[in-house]
Amino acid sequence: MRNKPLNDTIDTKQKILQAAAQIINEKGILSLTLEAVAKRAGISKGGLLYHFSSKDALMEGMNNFLLQGYINKVECLTNQDSHLKGKWTRAYVTETFRQLDQEASMNAAFLSAAATNPMLFNSMIDRLQKLHNNIEDDNINPVAATVIRLAADGLYYNHLYGINVTKDMREKVLAFLISLTLEDTK
């Protein structure tokens, strides 16, 4: 028997998670079953169970996929930023705005799923708190950094709930928030 290459495993997991997100967004969280996800992903239920042993494991997988990808991208942007002051805040804002177009569907689905299982928020809160601590200790005024983060979060959650801002206005808001991280406000 031939072993599956690692990329096939990653692609299958992502396909499963995207299928789950589609079902939640189209039909609601109560329509999410392992059978429905397997069918939507084009795999057998056994194939799904190989990657996610239960519906809770699937939801945890969605959380991990979204959050770890987000954190990795924020850290990468931080490492690429040569301007020490405010780099965590800039990276957070930049990646949060990018997520509006990239991962909004899966994030919306995860929020719906988490509403039925609040325990899913626990690991998310712990991991995001570390980012928030970095932002508050970002060599700029911690209140300004927190307000900037909250503004980005507010735009993001408004987008998830269907309260959209035009792309032009989003770009202006992003530029404004980034400019605030470059001011000497310590």
Side-chain angles (χ1 to χ4, degrees):
M1 184 167 108
R2 169 176 100 71
N3 287 335
K4 252 186 173 181
L6 181 59
N7 287 344
D8 287 351
T9 301
I10 292 170
D11 290 342
T12 301
K13 280 186 174 183
Q14 287 180 357
K15 189 188 316 183
I16 292 167
L17 295 172
Q18 288 168 346
Q22 289 170 356
I23 290 168
I24 293 169
N25 287 326
E26 291 170 10
K27 300 179 180 181
I29 187 64
L30 297 178
S31 296
L32 184 72
T33 65
L34 295 179
E35 293 82 7
V37 173
K39 182 176 180 181
R40 176 69 64 100
I43 62 172
S44 68
K45 185 175 176 187
L48 184 145
L49 290 170
Y50 173 78
H51 296 285
F52 301 102
S53 61
S54 66
K55 191 170 162 180
D56 285 341
L58 177 61
M59 292 297 94
E60 187 65 33
M62 188 179 287
N63 180 25
N64 289 335
F65 173 77
L66 290 170
L67 196 54
Q68 197 55 56
Y70 179 77
I71 290 169
N72 289 347
K73 289 170 185 160
V74 169
E75 288 174 346
C76 182
L77 289 170
T78 299
N79 291 334
Q80 294 171 357
D81 193 333
S82 61
H83 194 275
L84 180 63
K85 291 183 176 185
K87 67 183 187 174
W88 282 99
T89 309
R90 280 189 298 283
Y92 185 94
V93 169
T94 299
E95 183 55 25
T96 299
F97 274 62
R98 190 196 69 77
Q99 292 269 322
L100 293 172
D101 297 319
Q102 302 296 316
E103 302 292 349
S105 174
M106 193 170 301
N107 277 307
F110 174 74
L111 285 178
S112 294
T116 64
N117 182 358
M119 296 300 291
L120 291 171
F121 283 120
N122 290 344
S123 68
M124 182 178 77
I125 290 168
D126 291 341
R127 292 158 77 183
L128 285 176
Q129 187 60 53
K130 291 176 185 171
L131 281 179
H132 297 172
N133 292 343
N134 288 335
I135 289 169
E136 288 178 12
D137 192 30
D138 205 12
N139 296 307
I140 62 175
N141 181 307
V143 173
T146 299
V147 168
I148 293 165
R149 175 184 64 80
L150 291 171
D153 287 348
L155 183 71
Y156 180 79
Y157 286 109
N158 271 266
H159 185 77
L160 285 181
Y161 295 124
I163 306 167
N164 295 313
V165 174
T166 66
K167 186 171 175 117
D168 181 55
M169 182 56 77
R170 276 194 337 218
E171 289 172 3
K172 289 176 183 175
V173 170
L174 174 61
F176 179 73
L177 293 175
I178 295 296
S179 76
L180 294 175
T181 69
L182 298 168
E183 293 179 5
D184 191 14
T185 60
K186 188 76 173 160

